[in-house]
Amino acid sequence: MRITIWLSIAVFVTTLYWPQLVNYSGIFSCALCIFVFLCWPKWRYLAILPFTALYFSLFSYVSLFGGSFDSINYKPLLANDLLATPLLAKDLAHLQSTSRTSLSNFEPGNHQLVNNISNIKKHKQQVSQTSSTLSKQDNTIIVRVKSLINTKNTGYFIASIISINEQRCDFCPLVEMRWYKPSLQVQAGQVHQFKVRLKALQGKANPHGFDRQKWRYSQHIAYIANIKQHMQVIDKRISIRASLYQKVMQATNELPQQGSLLALIFADKSLLNEHEKSLIKQLGIAHLFAISGLHIGLLFIFSTVILNAVFKQLLPVRYLGWFSWRLVNTVGLLVCLSYGYISGFSLPTERALLMLLISVLVLSSKLKISLLDLLLLCLWIILLLDPLSILSSSLWLSFMAMSTILAFIWLLQRPQETTEQKNSWYKVKLQRLFITIKGLLLLQLVLTLFMLPIQLINFSAISLYALPINLIAIPLFSWFIIPLTLLGVMFLLLIEPVGVALFSISDQFLSHFLDYFSILSAGYVTLSQLHIVLILTFILFSSLFLLLNLIHRFFNITKTKMWLLPSILLVFVGIRVVEQRWQNEQQWQLEVFDVGQGLAILIYSNGQTLLYDTGPSYGGSYAVAESTVLPYLQARGITQLDYFFISHSDNDHAGGRAVIQDNLDIKKAYAGEADLMNQNQTHSHQTNNRLSKKHKNKRHTQYQQCFSGQVHQLGKLTLTTLSPSSIGSNNNNNSCVLQVSDGVNRVLLTGDISKAVEQKLIVENRQSIAEKNVNNLHADILIAPHHGSNTSSSLAFIKQVNPQWVVFSAGYKNRWRFPVEQVVQRYQQLGIKHLSTANTGFIRFNVQNHHIEVKTYREDLAAYWYHRHLAL
């Protein structure tokens, strides 16, 4: 059994690196492998490998891209429009059920599985056509609201689909609802009918940026519904949790830390302002505001300690006997379940509760099982119940926190030698107090150290004062703030003034803690990828050295051999670092970010960098550059820009400039509309002004006007400005057109110029060819003007540039439908290879020795199934 669990977990972990889920031929192969292994008694346990792979794929398709079907016409009601040949959810559900029940008695003569697959293939074309239609028309859907709603998130919530176009939906995933101008405030538990436009979820795909698509998939959300109209309210009743949420909001409305209190109670962070979010992150206590394994585990310890003391007084052990410990565990579990309910049973909470339940059952039953086996059993059951949780980084954070806490509980239950009988009663009390405090401090130290590698990998940053802060914060939150807050919720229902008083006390604790420790936020350091690798290597080296020291006690290993493996590891890391630096010196790179409907380009040569445009901002509070461009620059260790170009003032090109200015040193800045950009830094652009308030070090950048004829040097590259020659009233035509050349290979950055500017550039280029025999427009890589709009990319301009590659930087299924099909066809007719960030995500061109190597995020850099368009 132990080997089976190990192998199954290994398969689940490998799914993070699968290029695609199991397809039709893979299903048959897995079924055949299961049959072969089951018929081979000696290796029967290996059947878990293909079974786990098959189970994960089927679960993923049913959870993310399922649907409901008319029993007569077998018509799909919802299917992923990304799927070229999707599975039907009913067949998948039956196939999943069949694979579970027939694993032990699989017979080759049973044709039910084959018939299901045949049905899937038979209806592929019908599903594809229907899903395409759904994405191009308005649909009427009935949904049950799941998110807690307040005034700040009325237009954005999660819901479960009940029916679509008057057809019941049985296997539909959750849907992300977006409402531009809400006409009413919905509440969790209510059922509403909307007219919406559906599209499959696709996040922006960039290295080191926030992987929204992966995160949403882990939550079983696979569709976005843009609300066009609210039709009717079908059920006005709100959930108990939503009712409690409203009462707590009213009770805490005047408290400064209302957002923090709601985050601790309901896992709702929507009322936290940007300053509070930034401070929490920089102090390294974000895990204390995310209800997960740490909260559940610490709450269980807190409740069991208190309950154990109470029960010993009210119900002495001599009356309860063997039931004493089990009663404490049962009541402690009920307390944690209650907390899980009011926090919404989020996926991290569910995983923590499940892990706690299994552990308590095993510990209470006094079964002989090692701690490692117990932890692996918990992880395996979690993955069986929800395989998609493997995509969530919170799984590993929760698992590590719960594992540490369970190890702590395990050690507490071990019999220990004591000399209490020899000491007086007060010395015994002090000794017990000392042991408890020592254990809690050790627990917090181990929690911090064990979770450090996961935090480095997932967040690329660390707080230098995280350990001392958490040594105070974890006890403060675990033993005072969270218990007082939860007691406040309970008393709010019983004696409201007492509940409000408890909330006020918690608010005071929070306010004083954040005020006193805010000075330590300066210790928050963002690390480059190289630094993270070195830190993790050091941790691995230290762990390996300690392990070898431990083994050295039992085996005859010389000191030379003991140092051999760590030395090889260090040499390997050193060679890799030198190799990476040599590559950076030999080649230059052009990188196009996936910023949705907008443009952001990074050029890197000989340690010098140029950023051209920044992508858009939305709603005055969020800039795409903050989650895409900035994390990538920080991961590469880029802290300054040698050149910063803003093509023109449109939001989709200049929306994130405040974020870049506030976080990077900029040597030289140019813009196609420099005067406008300089004026708007303090006046007109309220969006960028509000964004810049999130950063402590607001910096003023003086932009110089970008004019044709300007020449700059970036490492081995020559930068030549081709346009504008004068500034007009058309923003797009004021775009700064930049040619980048290493003497052989060239890149042309065009902004949003129209055909009129293209024609002007053609005329000037013909004169240059006639007078100097120099073709300034020719480029190997062309960034398509205006994202592929039909107002640009004239046939004459394309022929003049004559590129090998053209890149369209556009948003997925954007409302302008860029790149326009006619424009794409113009490039195709001339045999030009085209790429679109909407499909490929981040694009990298490596140029070395006159050779251009192209790598895209979805196909090369992170070619995993949850980044690609799924197809069977």
Side-chain angles (χ1 to χ4, degrees), residues 143-195:
V143 299
R144 185 180 300 276
V145 181
K146 293 183 68 66
S147 300
L148 294 173
I149 307 297
N150 55 57
T151 54
K152 284 193 175 182
N153 63 351
T154 306
Y156 178 87
F157 55 92
I158 305 301
S160 57
I161 298 178
I162 298 175
S163 69
I164 176 170
N165 295 333
E166 299 182 354
Q167 299 285 347
R168 185 169 181 81
C169 189
D170 298 320
F171 296 100
C172 292
L174 298 177
V175 64
E176 186 179 293
M177 309 289 290
R178 297 180 179 179
W179 202 351
Y180 179 57
K181 292 183 178 180
S183 58
L184 79 160
Q185 184 170 310
V186 301
Q187 292 294 341
Q190 291 181 339
V191 179
H192 293 263
Q193 186 181 42
F194 296 99
K195 181 177 288 185

Side-chain angles (χ1 to χ4, degrees), residues 759-827:
Q759 183 59 36
K760 184 178 179 181
L761 289 173
I762 291 172
V763 172
E764 292 176 353
N765 189 53
R766 287 173 179 169
Q767 293 177 353
S768 176
I769 293 174
E771 297 174 1
K772 305 177 183 178
N773 196 29
V774 177
N775 187 347
N776 289 324
L777 276 186
H778 170 69
D780 300 281
I781 303 168
L782 170 66
I783 307 301
H786 205 176
H787 319 284
S789 166
N790 201 30
T791 60
S792 307
S793 295
S794 61
L795 189 60
F797 180 74
I798 297 173
K799 289 181 177 179
Q800 195 78 196
V801 178
N802 190 28
Q804 297 180 36
W805 296 89
V806 62
V807 176
F808 301 102
S809 181
Y812 173 67
K813 289 189 179 295
N814 61 84
R815 58 179 175 173
W816 299 278
R817 298 183 180 180
F818 293 159
V820 177
E821 187 175 351
Q822 295 175 345
V823 173
V824 176
Q825 289 177 353
R826 288 178 205 157
Y827 287 99

Side-chain angles (χ1 to χ4, degrees), residues 226-278:
N226 292 308
I227 299 174
K228 302 293 184 181
Q229 179 186 353
H230 179 264
M231 308 284 289
Q232 61 175 319
V233 181
I234 296 177
D235 189 349
K236 292 183 178 179
R237 292 174 298 177
I238 66 175
S239 65
I240 298 175
R241 179 171 176 254
S243 176
L244 185 60
Y245 179 76
Q246 291 180 342
K247 289 183 179 180
V248 174
M249 279 192 64
Q250 293 175 359
T252 59
N253 194 42
E254 302 299 326
L255 299 179
Q257 298 299 327
Q258 182 190 39
S260 299
L261 292 174
L262 291 173
L264 291 172
I265 302 170
F266 299 99
D268 173 35
K269 301 178 184 177
S270 58
L271 289 179
L272 285 171
N273 60 46
E274 296 300 328
H275 172 71
E276 290 171 338
K277 290 180 181 178
S278 177

Side-chain angles (χ1 to χ4, degrees), residues 317-338:
V317 177
R318 63 179 178 273
Y319 296 131
L320 295 176
W322 64 270
F323 189 64
S324 175
W325 176 252
R326 290 158 182 79
L327 179 61
V328 171
N329 285 345
T330 302
V331 179
L333 280 173
L334 291 176
V335 172
C336 293
L337 282 171
S338 302

